[in-house]
């Protein structure tokens, strides 16, 4: 009943233009960025040009995969209601909407695909690499984490000259800090967690 009540149906009466929602982005050291998508309408052919309507940018995936537990299978097409993984997207983030750049028809969206309502990130701490050689690794880690998790914010404070890492809670920031050290192998120093009122 919950599936019928809450998930958008890929019915034939709906629009035939392609519309997909990127509901999860994950960085894999071997495959690169994996963008998990759900097709809401139309069908997607592998390696076809896409328009990220959230950012207003065109993207061309290099591979289309279907996921079976921890294994991936390359496929040529995803139909309505299907879930798949796109590889090779350069800018797409969690929560973005993708559709065909060639259609004049308005793409189908759901409440989930119209953007995520992210609460403000009020917990923050400073972050800096332990050495100059760690700077590029830290920059890559921060950019990757922001693509995966839209509630993480990174900004430069012009008054102090510090890079500030912000999240929605102390535990959230602790998890991000651990990922930077463990998953990305960055030697970085983090300041005390503070709250912006």
């Amino acid at each position: 009943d919950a599936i019928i009540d809450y998930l958008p149906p890929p019915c034939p009466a709906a629009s035939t233009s392609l519309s997909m929602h990127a509901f999860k982005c994950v960085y894999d050291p071997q495959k690169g960025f994996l963008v998990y998508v759900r097709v809401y309408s139309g069908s997607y052919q592998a390696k076809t040009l896409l328009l990220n309507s959230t950012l207003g940018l065109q993207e061309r995936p290099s591979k289309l995969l279907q996921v079976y537990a921890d294994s991936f299978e390359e496929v040529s097409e995803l139909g309505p209601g299907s879930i798949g993984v796109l590889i090779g997207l350069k800018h797409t983030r969690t929560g973005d909407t993708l559709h065909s750049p060639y259609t004049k028809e308005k793409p189908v969206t759901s409440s989930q695909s119209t953007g995520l309502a992210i609460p403000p990130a009020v917990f923050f701490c400073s972050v800096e690499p332990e050495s100059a050689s760690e700077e590029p690794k830290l920059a890559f880690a921060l950019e990757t984490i922001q693509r995966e998790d839209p509630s993480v914010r990174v900004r430069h404070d012009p008054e102090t000259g510090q890079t500030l890492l912000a999240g929605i809670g102390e535990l959230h920031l602790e998890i991000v800090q651990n990922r930077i050290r463990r998953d990305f192998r960055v030697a970085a120093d983090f300041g005390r967690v503070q709250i912006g009122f």
Side-chain angles (χ1 to χ4, degrees):
D1 289 344
I3 289 171
I4 291 168
D5 291 344
Y6 300 120
L7 297 181
C11 60
S15 167
T16 56
S17 67
L18 174 67
S19 181
M20 296 189 289
H21 175 62
F23 65 89
K24 181 178 180 180
C25 292
V26 177
Y27 177 72
D28 182 276
Q30 279 77 40
K31 294 181 177 69
F33 262 102
L34 305 177
V35 179
Y36 288 76
V37 295
R38 169 130 195 252
V39 180
Y40 282 114
S41 68
S43 58
Y44 176 69
Q45 306 291 324
K47 300 181 182 178
T48 305
L49 187 68
L50 291 169
L51 176 65
N52 181 326
S53 60
T54 310
L55 300 174
L57 298 170
Q58 290 188 347
E59 299 258 45
R60 187 179 299 277
S62 57
K63 284 187 181 178
L64 173 62
L65 307 173
Q66 200 128 44
V67 183
Y68 300 97
D70 62 348
S71 64
F72 296 88
E73 179 186 318
E74 194 165 348
V75 293
S76 59
E77 183 179 4
L78 278 182
S82 298
I83 291 175
V85 173
L86 299 174
I87 295 179
L89 300 181
K90 304 273 188 251
H91 307 286
T92 300
R93 307 161 303 180
T94 299
D96 288 353
T97 301
L98 303 165
H99 58 86
S100 171
Y102 307 115
T103 184
K104 292 183 179 156
E105 197 177 336
K106 187 176 178 188
V108 172
T109 58
S110 76
S111 59
Q112 291 175 322
S113 65
T114 53
L116 300 171
I118 308 294
V122 294
F123 288 77
F124 66 93
C125 67
S126 62
V127 57
E128 60 183 43
E130 285 185 2
S131 66
S133 64
E134 295 289 308
E135 274 186 48
K137 287 168 57 178
L138 178 60
F140 176 75
L142 293 173
E143 181 185 332
T144 301
I145 289 171
Q146 285 183 99
R147 275 186 72 186
E148 292 178 350
D149 183 353
S151 63
V152 173
R153 307 275 161 74
V154 177
R155 67 180 175 88
H156 181 75
D157 187 338
E159 290 181 21
T160 63
Q162 293 177 310
T163 299
L164 300 178
L165 174 66
I168 55 174
E170 201 167 348
L171 178 61
H172 186 215
L173 280 180
E174 189 179 312
I175 291 167
V176 172
Q177 290 171 4
N178 287 337
R179 285 201 61 212
I180 289 170
R181 288 185 179 125
R182 184 191 65 233
D183 298 349
F184 295 96
R185 301 179 193 275
V186 177
D189 292 321
F190 297 93
R192 188 170 54 87
V193 175
Q194 300 178 55
I195 303 171
F197 293 98

